[in-house]
Amino acid sequence: MLLSVFKNASELMDSGQVRAAIDVLLAERQRVRRVPMACDMLAFMLLQADRPEDAIEWFEASLGINPADLKALGGLGMALLTAGKHQRSLQCYEQMISLNPGNSEGWFRGGVVLAELGRFDEALENLDRAIALNDQLAPAMIKKSEILEGLGDMQGAIAAALAACKLAQVQSSSWFRLAELMQKSGWNDQAIMAYDRGLQLAPEDFLGLHNKALALKASKLNEQALVSAQAALRVEPTNKEALLLCGNLELALGNSEAAHFCFREVARMGIVRSYPAGRKPAKFRALMLFSPVAGNTPYEDLIQDGCFDADMIIVLPGQGYDPAFLDGAADVIVNLVSEPDLGPDAILQAAHLVEGLETPIVNHPKLILGTDREAIARRLAGMPDVSMPMTVHVSSSALLARLERGDLPSFPLIIRHAGTHGGDMMELVSDAETLRSFAEEARSHDLYLTDFVDYSSADGYFRKYRFVFVGDEILPYHLAIGDVWKVHHASTRMGDVEWMRGEEEAFLNAPDKVFGADAMAALDAIRRRIGLDYFGIDCSIDRDGNVLVFEVNASMLIHLHNEGFEYKTPHVNRIRSAFETMLERRVGERSQQAIQAQRVGTGTSPR
């Protein structure tokens, strides 16, 4: 009788009817409970059906008859781990090892649980024992790679992933693991090759296709990246990240209509991304406005593992949202759309979206409109102890026409594409012919012309300081020291020159000693005049002791990737903490307003 039940259940399993197979065995539960093999069969089916608690019952029934059943012990360990009962799961694998010290599966699974428990050194020991017992155990190599990466040993992680690939050359997961590590290390060419090996084995693996597209994009191979991203989208047609990636690539390739189609598809899904708080429970929830067709405040490292939950929606010209949804979605709204020269229509749309909302708005879009380079130069003109070179916004055609008339600006000057940062598309020119060539190459791009000021220090080096304004705080972020006038931290020799790093660290620890009381007061005056909740300034100190301003905007980058400059990290974290505090204060202000309104409405007053 039980044999026919087994046969029926097996046939149903083979045809993919897992639930039906489970029902067949449960209908004979009393008979099944007396046979360990039957208990195991039912338990594994329940585990496959994502019913770990039920699976635990049947694995325990099997072990009640045969406590030394290694298969049942391993299955119980998996069920307990899936159910979140890590300590009991670990005990199962320890029992497996006790019964058979040569059981590589027990050592491997125990290592996985130890990693879940945060006992990483012990986890690595277990995995090494598993690999020593079975040098063909590729999953153990992959898990070891993941743990080593988490511990910051990227070299060890890559070595373990390479070993997994050698062991399991026909296993796509090994190649994808290696590719991800190569990609994170910035070795995009090697990552692409590893993705290709994995995709030969699993051609419709969504993450493989999507992440390969990201690696191709990072290598500026946008056309190939789009092909891979579109393939990923065919696998998961409603995946928001794939739609955003396709849209960004279409935009980069000049296919604006196709890009906007992708972005609109994402926008109508509502929340695009969610970032859970790193510390539970979350203190509050933030809603972030982001536009893929404009410049935005870099936010990833700013909010990573913060004290609040955050959701993101995207802003597109003409794309509306229900005001009741926006007011109810969060305790505070953070506008990230921050670059007036890239997508002013998106900023206006963001301003329209938040109009009339009761939720507090951080970096209100209307305030962003006045932060282009020309506007900032006008707004800061005449301020005590502040100097900002005159900046003029001009189209390339208008500049060429001016040059044709012989109307020459004063040289030397800096010319740059509007909307660019980081020194891209920016040159120092000293004659009309060079200026004309730059304008001709710019074609339809708008340009900025800025008077050049020699801001070299007495020692001949150029110093550019960055502060971040958060609420009413002025916080140092970095000092870049260079040999030439175009100074950007990533392109200097600071990584190799100890005295430069020492000077930066001294500035970060005591910026007021470097700038002095008058310059710090000038920075505070700039903060109040600009009026944003969160923004940055790149500046120097000129030969008269004034704050020489290069740019002021909400698009400046802060990040936590400070390899070789570890002294910067506490100051980045201070900015992050100030940002959280500022948001929390705005949430609290709203709560106080609501309490006051309620008191007015009920005719009560505080005692």
Side-chain angles (χ1 to χ4, degrees):
M1 176 67 177
L2 194 55
L3 189 59
S4 64
V5 172
F6 274 170
K7 183 179 179 183
N8 188 11
S10 296
E11 288 173 352
L12 288 167
M13 275 289 293
D14 291 342
S15 63
Q17 300 179 65
V18 179
R19 288 186 180 179
I22 290 170
D23 290 340
V24 166
L25 291 173
L26 287 176
E28 298 289 338
R29 65 176 64 238
Q30 295 304 323
R31 294 173 187 261
V32 169
R33 193 176 291 276
R34 293 196 293 267
V35 181
M37 186 183 298
C39 293
D40 291 347
M41 182 179 186
L42 176 55
F44 279 111
M45 286 182 181
L46 289 164
L47 195 54
Q48 185 177 340
D50 197 24
R51 294 169 58 180
E53 294 287 355
D54 293 331
I56 290 168
E57 175 190 347
W58 288 97
F59 281 127
E60 288 177 338
S62 175
L63 290 166
I65 302 169
N66 181 9
D69 184 346
L70 295 180
K71 183 176 180 181
L73 273 171
L76 179 59
M78 285 189 283
L80 288 164
L81 180 60
T82 306
K85 300 174 181 180
H86 296 75
Q87 204 61 50
R88 285 186 60 198
S89 175
L90 181 59
Q91 289 169 1
C92 289
Y93 296 121
E94 288 174 341
Q95 190 174 347
M96 285 180 70
I97 294 167
S98 175
L99 290 168
N100 181 4
N103 186 287
S104 61
E105 189 71 13
W107 288 104
F108 165 52
R109 296 293 177 185
V112 171
V113 181
L114 285 164
E116 290 289 323
L117 290 167
R119 294 160 60 179
F120 299 116
D121 289 342
E122 294 172 79
L124 289 171
E125 289 176 11
N126 267 43
L127 294 171
D128 285 338
R129 289 290 297 271
I131 293 163
L133 291 165
N134 180 3
D135 60 7
Q136 300 302 304
L137 196 58
M141 286 289 191
I142 292 175
K143 189 63 187 178
K144 179 179 178 179
S145 171
E146 292 171 356
I147 295 171
L148 290 170
E149 182 193 0
L151 294 172
D153 182 2
M154 190 62 77
Q155 186 175 354
I158 291 172
L162 277 167
C165 290
K166 292 176 182 176
L167 291 176
Q169 296 193 27
V170 294
Q171 190 175 77
S172 62
S173 59
S174 300
W175 292 106
F176 290 145
R177 173 67 188 150
L178 177 62
E180 288 168 14
L181 290 169
M182 294 294 186
Q183 193 169 9
K184 289 175 182 177
S185 301
W187 301 333
N188 289 301
D189 290 346
Q190 294 91 329
I192 291 164
M193 288 189 287
Y195 279 126
D196 283 339
R197 289 291 298 270
L199 288 167
Q200 287 173 3
L201 301 165
E204 294 195 351
D205 185 278
F206 171 79
L207 283 177
L209 291 164
H210 182 269
N211 291 342
K212 178 188 172 184
L214 290 174
L216 288 162
K217 181 174 180 282
S219 297
K220 303 189 185 304
L221 300 171
N222 287 341
E223 291 184 357
Q224 296 177 47
L226 181 58
V227 171
S228 189
Q230 288 172 334
L233 197 58
R234 285 193 292 273
V235 176
E236 294 188 17
T238 60
N239 186 280
K240 296 172 186 176
E241 293 297 332
L243 280 164
L244 284 172
L245 180 56
C246 283
N248 288 327
L249 289 166
E250 295 279 19
L251 200 63
L253 292 167
N255 307 325
S256 58
E257 186 175 342
H260 280 77
F261 172 82
C262 293
F263 295 144
R264 283 193 299 271
E265 286 295 297
V266 177
R268 66 182 184 82
M269 296 180 193
I271 302 298
V272 177
R273 291 175 180 155
S274 293
Y275 302 87
R279 304 184 294 279
K280 296 293 184 182
K283 290 185 176 181
F284 57 90
R285 180 174 292 277
L287 180 69
M288 301 187 296
L289 310 183
F290 179 94
S291 181
V293 297
N296 298 273
T297 303
Y299 68 90
E300 287 90 347
D301 284 359
L302 186 61
I303 70 169
Q304 177 184 316
D305 295 328
C307 70
F308 59 96
D309 291 330
D311 294 321
M312 177 188 290
I313 61 171
I314 64 173
V315 177
L316 298 171
Q319 175 71 40
Y321 292 92
D322 180 2
F325 159 72
L326 295 174
D327 250 340
D331 303 300
V332 61
I333 294 175
V334 181
N335 170 51
L336 299 173
V337 191
S338 60
E339 176 51 77
D341 292 311
L342 292 176
D345 291 344
I347 297 176
L348 291 171
Q349 182 64 25
H352 173 71
L353 290 177
V354 302
E355 190 68 34
L357 297 183
E358 295 182 5
T359 308
I361 313 298
V362 169
N363 274 9
H364 199 291
K366 286 183 178 179
L367 296 176
I368 295 291
L369 289 169
T371 59
D372 65 88
R373 293 177 186 273
E374 184 179 60
I376 290 292
R378 289 198 308 267
R379 293 172 68 183
L380 302 188
M383 290 184 67
D385 301 309
V386 175
S387 173
M388 184 169 186
M390 186 179 72
T391 298
V392 176
H393 183 275
V394 63
S395 68
S396 54
S397 58
L399 177 58
L400 288 169
R402 178 179 169 182
L403 293 174
E404 283 297 317
R405 296 194 304 269
D407 181 9
L408 302 181
S410 298
F411 295 107
L413 58 81
I414 297 170
I415 185 168
R416 72 193 308 154
H417 285 199
T420 58
H421 298 275
D424 295 331
M425 307 307 295
M426 177 177 77
E427 296 297 339
L428 176 64
V429 297
S430 301
D431 58 81
E433 192 56 41
T434 306
L435 187 62
R436 185 191 311 277
S437 296
F438 192 102
E440 288 174 346
E441 291 176 5
R443 298 183 181 179
S444 60
H445 286 284
D446 280 4
L447 304 169
Y448 279 118
L449 304 180
T450 302
D451 290 342
F452 176 72
V453 175
D454 182 357
Y455 65 100
S456 58
S457 303
D459 61 2
Y461 287 96
F462 294 83
R463 288 166 170 82
K464 186 170 73 173
Y465 302 85
R466 176 169 295 182
F467 290 89
V468 177
F469 301 90
V470 189
D472 58 2
E473 294 193 68
I474 306 171
L475 302 173
Y477 173 68
H478 73 205
L479 161 62
I481 305 173
D483 309 289
V484 295
W485 70 273
K486 189 191 288 190
V487 178
H488 295 281
H489 201 281
S491 61
T492 65
R493 296 188 296 114
M494 293 182 65
D496 302 318
V497 182
E498 185 176 354
W499 72 261
M500 291 183 177
R501 297 193 302 277
E503 184 175 333
E504 179 181 33
E505 185 173 8
F507 160 68
L508 292 173
N509 290 332
D512 53 326
K513 290 185 178 179
V514 177
F515 270 58
D518 290 345
M520 292 303 294
L523 287 172
D524 191 55
I526 291 170
R527 176 189 65 79
R528 286 182 275 111
R529 179 159 295 189
I530 300 303
L532 288 169
D533 302 289
Y534 176 88
F535 65 106
I537 183 171
D538 278 347
C539 60
S540 191
I541 299 292
D542 71 13
R543 292 166 185 174
D544 296 321
N546 299 314
V547 176
L548 177 63
V549 179
F550 302 128
E551 61 179 313
V552 174
N553 56 56
S555 301
M556 291 189 186
L557 174 69
I558 73 159
H559 63 78
L560 288 164
H561 311 292
N562 296 316
E563 294 79 7
F565 301 88
E566 285 78 12
Y567 56 82
K568 289 181 60 178
T569 299
H571 300 278
V572 179
N573 285 330
R574 189 176 167 201
I575 293 169
R576 284 157 41 84
S577 178
F579 183 75
E580 290 184 359
T581 301
M582 183 259 293
L583 294 189
E584 191 172 3
R585 186 183 305 121
R586 297 296 300 275
V587 171
E589 289 169 2
R590 182 191 187 188
S591 299
Q592 286 300 315
Q593 290 169 0
I595 292 169
Q596 290 283 61
Q598 185 178 23
R599 285 171 175 162
V600 170
T602 58
T604 61
S605 59
R607 292 181 180 179

